[in-house]
Amino acid sequence: MQGTRRSRLPAWVPGLIVTLSLVASAAPAQVGREYGDVRAYISRNWEVLTRTMDNCEVLKDPKVPERSVLYLPKDLPEPASVQQLRRQCPQVRIQRLPSDITAPGQVDVRAFEAQGLLYLEHPYVVPGGMFNEMYGWDSYFIIRGLLRDGRRDLAQNMVRNFFFEIEHYGAVLNANRTYYLTRSQPPFLSSMVMAVHDTLGKEERRAWLAEAHPYLVRDYEMWTQGAHLAGDTGLSRYFDHGQGPVPELSTHERYYRDVVGYLVRHPEEGKPFLREVDPKAPAPTPTSPVFTLQVCEQTVGTTSCTTQETLALTEDYYKGDRSMRESGFDISFRFGPFSARTHHHAGVDLNSLLYKTETDLERISTALGRADEARTWRERAARRKQQVDRYLWDVQRGMYFDHDFVTGQRSTYEYATTFYPLWAGLASPEQARAVVSNLFHFEQPGGLAMSRQDTSTQWDYPYGWAPLHLLTIEGLRRYGYDLDADRLSRKFLDMVAENFRRDGTIREKYNVVTRSSEMKHIVGYTENVVGFGWTNGVFLELLHGLQPEPARRVGRKPPPSRREQRP
């Protein structure tokens, strides 16, 4: 691929490197002017997307449009902001959770009289549209954008909200709604802490790390024991502790019906996830639907149908469906049809993030003067790298793949999470070189597609997403592939800017093949939400990355391989 070959030019051709550098990146002033309108929109939009607990807007939930309910932790004194909310929003109900919560899944959310918002101490930024709460992994990319835009107090307080979630709700939640009390989201908490840390003064840094440390350890421990362990691999998996269909799909009532339709049309794929039921018997669980298959004959003016069979989705399907939502990649076919086998896999992304958490905690422990603890984190990171290399690295194909620990087989599904180990610093120079050589499988006119499979789901081809662009591009820069990083940054920035100038919005996701925000023939979530928090943050960070820095020379060679280091 052209960009990769250019990034490998030998150091003894300085004239050629300078020429290519001019092609690869614009001057700082030019880059700033080029996207000034988008930057102005993002700056204004932070206020639009900010929620506070004393404003009625915080209560709205387009996904579960019931009466407004705010839940407080069982024993928390009623804060002044909630008292203000009572006065300002007379329709709101204030209730308390039935018990103290120290881990996800401890309460049966199906037993709640009504689903509602979980109280948080500080203001926060929401993604936008139907996502009107503070999300787990979205917030990392939002926080990066807030910090880049000089809004450190808001960013830092969002991280403190996650500390509050761990303390009172048992985990960094998928988001602060009661129906998310059964699951978390990809573990970016240590990365949030370090992003804030890097903007603080020397004295503030130590106090911040001391405040964060116990919450980071608790978050890490949730992922590395019990149900989140991926068998005996030493790696971790995504796992939702709830049962049956997810409540937040009440406004997407066709989703499970579409899943059943696909599984019936593809019986080999569908067999493990469907079972026949007696239509006269009670539903498998109070909330689990049954589906009736019919054969219909249409004539002029009439339709007559005969029932063939009645089916239900298995509990294993629902467990995988829920676990997929903890992964954040809802929906793709990465873990089987509709990712129904998510909970059977040790994922590349999750274990890369846990490696990053371990290395962050080593750094934090060192800064706090805890040498023995730092050594423990270093050893844990080394063990995880060994297991990632054993189970997830495919040396023949030069890519990282998820591992099905139930069947003992490594997946062959090419997915953009193969770039996570570069961002986390988990890959060796040789592994990074191999992964980058496969970049062309994903690169499209608008940036990176999630996969090579067109499954009509939003986390597969031809769609691209802001967070994967930031992680991939920063991973490329980490290993010296700056020309590739600049080229991908330009593609994504230009696509977002061109669509913004057409419709005046920034979107959740994009079709990177057509370079548009149009979503056609998509199964599951058909919306392309306006806002949008993580796209805003990633846009600012990629734009900043295009600015030349003293420590970075565009066109430099990647780190040498071991073979190249030999005399």
Side-chain angles (χ1 to χ4, degrees), residues 12-318:
W12 44 263
V13 195
L16 187 55
I17 290 176
V18 170
T19 301
L20 290 175
S21 297
L22 294 175
V23 173
S25 62
Q30 179 184 344
V31 169
R33 289 195 302 269
E34 208 173 341
Y35 303 110
D37 54 343
V38 184
R39 293 190 65 180
Y41 171 86
I42 291 172
S43 182
R44 295 191 304 270
N45 212 30
W46 292 131
E47 303 303 326
V48 175
L49 297 174
T50 298
R51 301 289 179 266
T52 58
M53 285 290 163
D54 58 0
N55 189 305
C56 301
E57 183 71 18
V58 75
L59 294 163
K60 295 179 181 177
D61 186 3
K63 298 183 298 306
V64 183
E66 300 174 350
R67 182 182 174 186
S68 300
V69 182
L70 175 66
Y71 284 89
L72 294 174
K74 183 175 181 292
D75 297 319
L76 185 77
E78 186 167 300
S81 61
V82 175
Q83 296 171 11
Q84 173 66 21
L85 193 70
R86 284 185 187 276
R87 293 189 292 270
Q88 191 169 328
C89 316
Q91 78 280 11
V92 70
R93 284 188 295 161
I94 311 295
Q95 295 188 195
R96 291 193 176 272
L97 293 172
S99 61
D100 294 327
I101 301 173
T102 59
Q106 282 186 344
V107 296
D108 184 355
V109 300
R110 296 173 299 180
F112 285 19
E113 179 185 351
Q115 302 298 327
L117 184 75
L118 295 168
Y119 169 80
L120 293 175
E121 288 185 303
H122 303 289
Y124 53 86
V125 175
V126 302
M130 70 185 209
F131 304 112
N132 192 41
E133 46 274 319
M134 190 180 79
Y135 279 78
W137 76 312
D138 291 64
S139 292
Y140 171 65
F141 303 96
I142 289 170
I143 285 166
R144 291 281 301 269
L146 290 172
L147 293 172
R148 183 60 58 198
D149 238 0
R151 299 174 185 242
R152 187 178 69 199
D153 288 348
L154 180 54
Q156 189 169 21
N157 279 332
M158 285 181 67
V159 184
R160 287 191 167 111
N161 279 337
F162 287 121
F163 299 164
F164 185 90
E165 285 190 354
I166 292 171
E167 184 68 27
H168 294 283
Y169 308 132
V172 171
L173 299 178
N174 187 150
N176 59 313
R177 298 280 180 189
T178 51
Y179 47 80
Y180 290 138
L181 282 166
T182 60
R183 66 176 178 264
S184 186
Q185 269 204 324
F188 279 94
L189 185 61
S190 73
S191 298
M192 298 182 206
V193 167
M194 297 313 295
V196 171
H197 164 274
D198 293 344
T199 69
L200 298 173
K202 185 177 181 180
E203 294 303 317
E204 297 172 298
R205 287 183 172 188
R206 183 179 177 86
W208 172 241
L209 295 183
E211 177 186 351
H213 180 270
Y215 298 106
L216 293 177
V217 173
R218 282 184 60 180
D219 182 57
Y220 173 84
E221 288 175 345
M222 185 207 73
W223 290 103
T224 55
Q225 56 187 321
H228 277 103
L229 290 177
D232 60 0
T233 62
L235 300 172
S236 295
R237 65 169 176 171
Y238 293 112
F239 186 86
D240 183 309
H241 293 267
Q243 303 293 327
V246 293
E248 69 269 23
L249 280 182
S250 62
T251 54
H252 295 77
E253 59 183 19
R254 283 195 53 180
Y255 177 70
Y256 289 123
R257 189 168 64 198
D258 288 342
V259 170
V260 171
Y262 175 91
L263 296 177
V264 168
R265 293 191 303 273
H266 301 82
E268 286 304 310
E269 294 181 71
K271 186 176 180 181
F273 306 114
L274 292 174
R275 64 187 185 89
E276 289 191 53
V277 297
D278 181 350
K280 298 178 182 179
T285 68
T287 57
S288 295
V290 295
F291 305 88
T292 301
L293 300 186
Q294 296 179 325
V295 175
C296 297
E297 179 183 2
Q298 291 182 331
T299 58
V300 178
T302 64
T303 300
S304 58
C305 299
T306 302
T307 298
Q308 293 298 297
E309 56 184 333
T310 303
L311 301 172
L313 290 161
T314 65
E315 283 305 305
D316 193 58
Y317 164 80
Y318 285 120

Side-chain angles (χ1 to χ4, degrees), residues 298-375:
Q298 291 182 331
T299 58
V300 178
T302 64
T303 300
S304 58
C305 299
T306 302
T307 298
Q308 293 298 297
E309 56 184 333
T310 303
L311 301 172
L313 290 161
T314 65
E315 283 305 305
D316 193 58
Y317 164 80
Y318 285 120
K319 184 62 69 175
D321 177 69
R322 286 173 162 273
S323 301
M324 168 192 65
R325 299 171 196 282
E326 182 173 76
S327 80
F329 295 105
D330 47 336
I331 307 138
S332 79
F333 274 49
R334 168 189 173 195
F335 298 119
F338 301 94
S339 282
R341 292 190 180 90
T342 299
H343 57 311
H344 295 179
H345 287 80
V348 172
D349 48 326
L350 174 57
N351 287 283
S352 297
L353 293 173
L354 290 174
Y355 176 86
K356 172 71 159 51
T357 300
E358 289 157 349
T359 57
D360 284 341
L361 279 165
E362 178 194 353
R363 179 182 171 191
I364 291 168
S365 299
T366 300
L368 295 176
R370 304 175 184 180
D372 290 344
E373 188 176 330
R375 183 167 54 254

